[in-house]
């Protein structure tokens, strides 16, 4: 025991000659570094030259200016011939204030004539003294230029196939979709490509993988690494719509290493990012453009609202919501628009218009405007309100007041022609919820608002892409608890009713009406084909009713009169283990899968065509996710598109032939493979049989000698015998 | 394919087996009696009474004279099939997990479990199959193959062609081959990731199929122990058999019994799966059980199959015409060109 030992060893301290002991090592170790007295100082040039009498006033002014960086402990202004010399020494209490002062107050305009130049005094010593800095010019080393691979190579596929990602176990692979056939790997599937998930950027150019140290971007035909984004433990990522910027969020705050730390030189963040969790990156350069601390109300939040940063359609602006305010940034410099927050009392949610809005009221009618919408709940003496705001003018161009609101959801039509606000309203008793839909006609004069009151509570809403129709899933809220096993959801299809306005070729939408509805459904998910017309309605998770239904809105763009719905159904597409569905970017196929992230049952994926025919099914143990690679918007003009539609027969004939060829090749291969397997097996069997025969082990077929005898037994059992006397 | 439900056991089935002619079906379960059924109509012929614990395994000799059962009551019993009389009881140190007669009925193999500090063994006993004196059986084993040092315990075992080798499946997915005379270990191969649950031979016993909890089944060659075929399922597999006549294999299994309560019967995968033996494709499933399938057995003439489930039922399926008609194009062409012999079984109505 160490304690006992200590007691045993007794040292007579007086006997030790202290002077003889060499303490130099300890002294060196615990030496307090001499305070570099210069490091607390800054030197300010460009201050006004003033008479001595004004020094006190000037000092007061300057102290106020520099207090912005930290507490000023002293200020010295040299005076010569009764005039100040135009420069000032300022001492700060805190060393960190020196950095802040140099960064923030350098080039500060004191007034029209005077601009302050701020430097660290230690820097003046370091660089200003002759001999400290070499006079000779050393050419900076320029990193050799790395050519980045062609990021859009996959779009040049001759057959126009789509790509998708399959994540199974630790393996991630990118494949070419070959609908019915085995997908063809675009690159060799990689083990541990990501530690969590992978994401494509919105136009599909980049693939992002998540790692402990941060995020990596991959792209090009070989999916080579393009950039690394250092963000430890990043959990969530998001992109700007034009894929210029990446937003990442990590639960671990940034810790900037100390000034002299070796890691500092390569550390991407400055001291101002200390403690921040949210980072916006420039994807092309791989550098951070701006970091943010998490709003205090979101700290410790278990379920994070995501995305935290929302972008205008063209990446020009981005915005974040704080308590009672909206912060809009210009992406040119990532500074607050007009250096001011937009105060909005009680703001709950906002959305940018997903496309440029041509405002009829605006002077320049054809210019695309940035519009965002937000809503605020009922507050004291104020109704709930949905408002449209134009950016950068901050002008509120339309508001609608609402009553008895319990929640609002903002649904933009993807061309920003309409905005639908789904308002969940409660009855006066607050017992049941019903929904009304408010439609904003963005492209019309004065932005008229249509109201559609429903009896049901709408739980899901989806616009038809590039269309004017929408689909809702609703449920009649009767209050109280209800048996979830009973299908009570109603699926409703709405279409516009149009009226012709004089002297106008364009039709104006008067109101929306339901043109079809299906009751007693379990469905809870709506996925519109990205090309419109077809819609998949699914039941996901929840009492084993996993199921997908396909609807054709039967609308070919020419015949506007008849909007009917066909359940293309092709029987029932039950898929009990279903967890997710997604359309491919061309709207030809629908992928449905069962992810092991959600449950461990029948993991794998299925591919359907748009009419709901099952093309392919693969059951994969530990299958995690299926992910279509997005495509950028088509470059065809609307005229080109019309032309394609007109000559569809010719085009489709070409593709059908290619499909048939493809299918044939696959079948042929399969047949050849089977033939070989069959021959191999038979030759192996005959070999074995020969060996057995040589060994004399083959038993003669006795079965032929055995006379099979069929014995039929008829058994009679007397159950009861009774004698009755008939009178 | 209308199944016959054999309701006679009170607890989950452990093994079902046809006799050589296929007219009788033997079944054992976790209750204490073994049952014998007519395979044609599912009528029960009788039971073997005497065990006092779960019966893990049953086998019947090729003449359908003697049957043997291995039980968790630390014993194996020999029975006369025609009258259900127990003529011999071997006391064992641990439960008997698997019993099997050698192909010429002169030996018996018992796989004993590795529990309570006892080593697992494959015990080989001589069998006196003389009709007159068959009540005299010896207690002395011919050979005891102990689990080798460092090897995992044996879960299943069986006799190869002519009783030449004993093939054993271990709990770590290893298959090993022993000389049936000397007990010498010839070869071991790791074929599965998890425990091997069943091992059944082809009719000529020159190759066999193994099933495992790792959701796969393999066909291996007896001589070289090479994996010839692999069948992938989506649930743990408890049993597999090779069909005569048709080139199929049947796999049975499902979600583990302990997980069953958390899944519905639709998701539990309690189906018998048919795979094409040569092409390894799944070609069909037969639903019916509402618990995992613990054993699947095929009629020696390939005209029906039986499955024993955790749910306590035996389901007996007589194959329809469509079963025999099902052929791949490749097979059809081969038959048409006379490359292979066409076997057509008699279909009983």
């Amino acid at each position: 025991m160490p304690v006992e030992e200590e007691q045993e060893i007794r040292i007579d301290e007086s006997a030790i000659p202290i002077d003889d002991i060499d303490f130099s090592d300890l002294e060196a170790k615990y030496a307090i570094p001499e305070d570099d007295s210069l490091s607390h100082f800054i030197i300010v040039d460009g201050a006004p030259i003033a008479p001595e009498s004004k020094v006190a006033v000037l000092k007061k002014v300057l102290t106020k200016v520099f207090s912005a960086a930290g507490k000023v402990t002293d200020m010295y202004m040299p005076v010569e011939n009764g005039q100040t010399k135009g420069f000032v020494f300022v001492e700060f209490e805190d060393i960190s204030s020196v950095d802040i002062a140099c960064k923030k107050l350098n080039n500060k305009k004191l007034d029209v004539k005077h601009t302050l130049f701020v430097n660290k005094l230690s820097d003046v010593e370091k660089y200003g003294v002759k001999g400290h800095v070499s006079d000779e010019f050393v050419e900076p080393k320029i990193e050799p230029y790395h050519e980045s691979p062609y990021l859009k190579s996959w779009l040049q596929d001759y057959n126009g196939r789509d790509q998708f990602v399959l994540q199974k176990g630790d393996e991630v692979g990118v494949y070419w979709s070959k609908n019915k056939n085995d997908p063809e790997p675009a690159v060799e599937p990689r083990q541990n490509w990501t530690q969590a998930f992978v994401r494509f950027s919105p136009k599909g150019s980049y693939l992002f993988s998540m790692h402990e140290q941060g995020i990596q971007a991959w792209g090009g035909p070989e999916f080579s690494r393009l950039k690394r984004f250092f963000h430890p433990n990043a959990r969530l990522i998001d992109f700007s719509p034009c894929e210029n910027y990446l937003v990442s969020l990590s639960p671990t705050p940034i810790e900037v290493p100390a000034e002299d730390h070796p890691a500092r030189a390569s550390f991407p963040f400055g001291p101002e990012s200390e403690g921040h969790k949210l980072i916006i990156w420039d994807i092309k350069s791989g550098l951070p453009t701006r970091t943010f601390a998490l709003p205090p109300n979101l700290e410790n939040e278990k379920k994070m609202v995501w995305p935290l940063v929302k972008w205008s359609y063209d990446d020009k602006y981005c915005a974040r919501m704080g308590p009672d305010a909206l912060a809009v940034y210009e992406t040119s410099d990532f500074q607050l628009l007009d250096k001011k927050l937009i105060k909005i009392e009680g703001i709950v949610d906002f959305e940018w218009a997903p496309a440029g809005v041509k405002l009829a009221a605006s002077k320049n009618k054809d210019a695309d405007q940035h519009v965002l919408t937000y809503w605020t709940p009922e507050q004291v003496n104020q109704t709930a309100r949905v408002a449209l705001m134009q950016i950068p003018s901050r002008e509120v161009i339309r508001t609608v007041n609402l009553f008895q609101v319990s929640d609002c959801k903002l649904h933009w039509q993807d061309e920003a022609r309409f905005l639908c606000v789904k308002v969940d309203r409660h009855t006066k008793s607050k017992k049941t919820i019903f929904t009304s839909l408010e439609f904003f006609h963005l492209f019309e004069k004065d932005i008229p608002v249509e109201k559609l009151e429903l009896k049901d509570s709408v739980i899901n809403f989806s616009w038809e892409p590039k269309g004017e129709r929408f689909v809702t899933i609703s449920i009649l809220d009767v209050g109280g608890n209800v048996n979830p096993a009973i299908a009570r959801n109603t699926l409703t299809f709405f279409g516009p009713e149009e009226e012709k306005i004089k002297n106008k070729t364009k039709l104006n939408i008067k109101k929306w009406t339901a043109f079809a509805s299906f009751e007693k459904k379990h469905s809870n998910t709506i996925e519109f084909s990205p090309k419109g017309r077809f819609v998949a309605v699914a039941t996901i998770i929840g009492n084993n009713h996993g199921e997908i239904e396909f609807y054709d809105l039967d609308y070919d763009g020419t015949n506007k009169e008849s909007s009917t719905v066909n359940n293309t159904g092709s029987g029932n597409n039950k898929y009990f283990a279903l967890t997710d569905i997604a359309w491919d970017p061309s709207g030809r196929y629908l992928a449905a899968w069962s992810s092991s992230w959600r449950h461990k049952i029948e993991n794998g994926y299925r591919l359907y065509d748009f009419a709901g025919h099952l093309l392919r099914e693969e059951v994969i143990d530990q299958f995690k996710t299926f992910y279509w690679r997005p495509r950028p918007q088509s470059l065809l003009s609307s005229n080109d598109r019309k032309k394609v539609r007109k000559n569809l027969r010719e085009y489709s004939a070409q593709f059908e032939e290619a499909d048939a060829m493809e299918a044939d090749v696959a079948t042929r291969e399969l047949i050849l493979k089977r033939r070989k397997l069959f021959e191999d097996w038979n030759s192996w069997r005959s070999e074995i049989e020969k060996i057995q025969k040589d060994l004399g082990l083959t038993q003669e077929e006795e079965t032929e000698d055995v006379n099979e005898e069929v014995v039929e037994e008829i058994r009679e059992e007397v159950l009861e015998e009774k004698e009755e006397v008939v009178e | 394919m209308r199944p016959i439900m054999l309701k006679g056991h009170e607890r989950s089935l452990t093994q079902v087996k046809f006799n050589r002619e296929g007219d009788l079906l033997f079944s054992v379960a976790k209750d204490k009696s073994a049952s014998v059924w007519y395979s044609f109509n599912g009528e029960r012929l009788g039971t073997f009474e005497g065990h006092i614990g779960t019966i893990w395994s049953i086998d019947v000799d090729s003449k359908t004279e003697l049957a043997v059962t291995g039980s968790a009551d630390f014993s194996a019993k020999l029975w006369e099939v025609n009258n259900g009389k127990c003529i011999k009881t071997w006391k064992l140190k641990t439960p008997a997990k698997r019993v099997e007669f050698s192909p010429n009925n002169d030996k018996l193999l018992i796989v004993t479990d590795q529990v309570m500090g006892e080593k697992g063994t494959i015990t080989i006993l001589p069998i006196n199959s003389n009709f007159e004196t068959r009540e005299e059986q010896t207690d002395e084993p011919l050979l005891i193959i102990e689990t080798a040092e460092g090897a995992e315990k044996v879960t299943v075992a069986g006799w190869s062609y002519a009783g030449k080798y004993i093939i054993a499946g271990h709990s770590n997915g290893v298959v090993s081959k022993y000389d049936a005379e000397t007990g010498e270990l010839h070869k071991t191969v790791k074929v599965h990731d998890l425990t091997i649950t069943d091992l059944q031979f082809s009719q000529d016993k020159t190759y066999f199929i193994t099933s495992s909890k790792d959701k796969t089944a393999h066909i291996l060659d007896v001589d070289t122990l090479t994996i010839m075929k692999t069948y992938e399922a989506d649930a743990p597999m408890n049993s597999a058999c090779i069909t005569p006549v048709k080139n199929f294999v049947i796999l049975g299994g499902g979600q583990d019994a302990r997980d069953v309560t958390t899944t519905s019967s639709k998701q539990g995968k309690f189906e018998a799966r048919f795979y094409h033996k040569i092409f390894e494709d799944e070609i069909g499933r037969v639903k019916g059980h509402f618990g995992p399938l613990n054993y699947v057995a095929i009629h020696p003439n390939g005209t029906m199959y039986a499955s024993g489930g955790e749910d306590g039922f035996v389901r007996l399926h007589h194959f329809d015409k469509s079963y025999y008609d099902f052929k791949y194009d490749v097979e059809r062409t081969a038959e048409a060109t006379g490359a292979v012999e066409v076997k057509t079984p008699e279909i009983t109505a």
Side-chain angles (χ1 to χ4, degrees), chain A residues 577-710:
Chain A
L578 183 68
T579 62
D580 299 273
I581 57 171
W583 284 93
D584 83 319
S586 68
R588 290 177 292 178
Y589 308 110
L590 180 87
W593 64 96
S594 159
S595 163
S596 65
W597 281 326
R598 300 285 291 275
H599 59 210
K600 308 283 179 214
I601 299 155
E602 209 181 314
N603 296 135
Y605 71 90
R606 292 185 188 182
L607 271 184
Y608 295 92
D609 69 6
F610 59 83
H613 301 112
L614 181 62
L615 296 177
R616 181 176 172 74
E617 179 176 9
E618 222 181 318
V619 176
I620 302 165
D621 204 17
Q622 292 204 19
F623 181 80
K624 284 182 176 157
T625 191
F626 186 103
Y627 195 5
W628 290 105
R629 186 173 195 171
R631 278 169 179 269
Q633 218 169 11
S634 164
L635 295 172
L636 295 179
S637 66
S638 59
N639 277 341
D640 290 339
R641 232 169 285 160
K642 252 179 216 156
K643 218 162 103 190
V644 170
R645 207 170 282 151
K646 209 171 153 192
N647 303 323
L648 194 59
R649 256 169 226 285
E650 277 169 46
Y651 288 104
S652 65
Q654 282 174 30
F655 285 107
E656 258 157 33
E657 199 180 284
D659 279 354
M661 292 259 281
E662 175 88 352
D664 237 5
V665 169
T667 343
R668 199 181 308 140
E669 268 173 22
L670 191 68
I671 289 170
L672 288 177
K673 189 182 141 206
R674 281 190 181 145
R675 201 166 284 170
K676 190 170 175 318
L677 283 172
F678 195 60
E679 274 163 23
D680 286 355
W681 177 268
N682 286 331
S683 66
W684 175 67
R685 285 307 305 158
S686 51
E687 214 172 284
I688 291 280
E689 270 161 29
K690 198 167 157 272
I691 293 169
Q692 295 275 313
K693 211 169 201 172
D694 290 352
L695 289 171
L697 289 169
T698 323
Q699 294 125 337
E700 287 303 311
E701 289 287 308
E702 294 169 33
T703 39
E704 282 169 29
D705 304 338
V706 176
N707 288 327
E708 232 173 79
E709 206 183 325
V710 179

Side-chain angles (χ1 to χ4, degrees), chain A residues 544 576-577 599-602 619 621 670-671 673-679 681-682 684-685 688-689 691-692 695 697 699 702-703 706 708 713 715, chain B residues 20 38 43 103 161-162 164 202 204 206-207 215 219 221 223 228-229 234 247 263-264 266-267 269 277-279 281 301 328 330-331 333-334 340:
Chain A
N544 303 333
F576 298 109
H599 59 210
K600 308 283 179 214
I601 299 155
E602 209 181 314
V619 176
D621 204 17
L670 191 68
I671 289 170
K673 189 182 141 206
R674 281 190 181 145
R675 201 166 284 170
K676 190 170 175 318
L677 283 172
F678 195 60
E679 274 163 23
W681 177 268
N682 286 331
W684 175 67
R685 285 307 305 158
I688 291 280
E689 270 161 29
I691 293 169
Q692 295 275 313
L695 289 171
L697 289 169
Q699 294 125 337
E702 294 169 33
T703 39
V706 176
E708 232 173 79
E713 267 180 63
R715 236 178 1 182
Chain B
R20 170 92 181 276
Y38 285 114
E43 191 185 332
Y161 57 85
K164 203 170 172 209
S202 67
D204 64 357
T206 55
Y207 60 98
K215 306 182 182 179
I219 281 189
D221 173 25
D223 285 323
M228 311 292 298
K229 298 287 166 193
D234 52 2
N247 279 323
T263 53
S264 79
K266 276 168 194 158
Q267 290 170 346
K269 314 191 193 312
K277 180 170 71 182
I278 300 169
F279 307 137
D281 296 336
N301 296 345
Y328 277 79
V330 179
E331 292 174 293
T333 347
V340 287

Side-chain angles (χ1 to χ4, degrees), chain A residues 296-315:
Chain A
N297 57 333
L298 289 179
E299 288 281 0
N300 307 323
E301 195 88 347
K302 278 211 184 90
K303 206 168 151 94
M304 184 56 68
V305 193
W306 190 254
L308 283 173
V309 179
K310 293 179 185 173
W311 302 82
S312 71
Y313 69 96
D314 57 357
D315 279 13

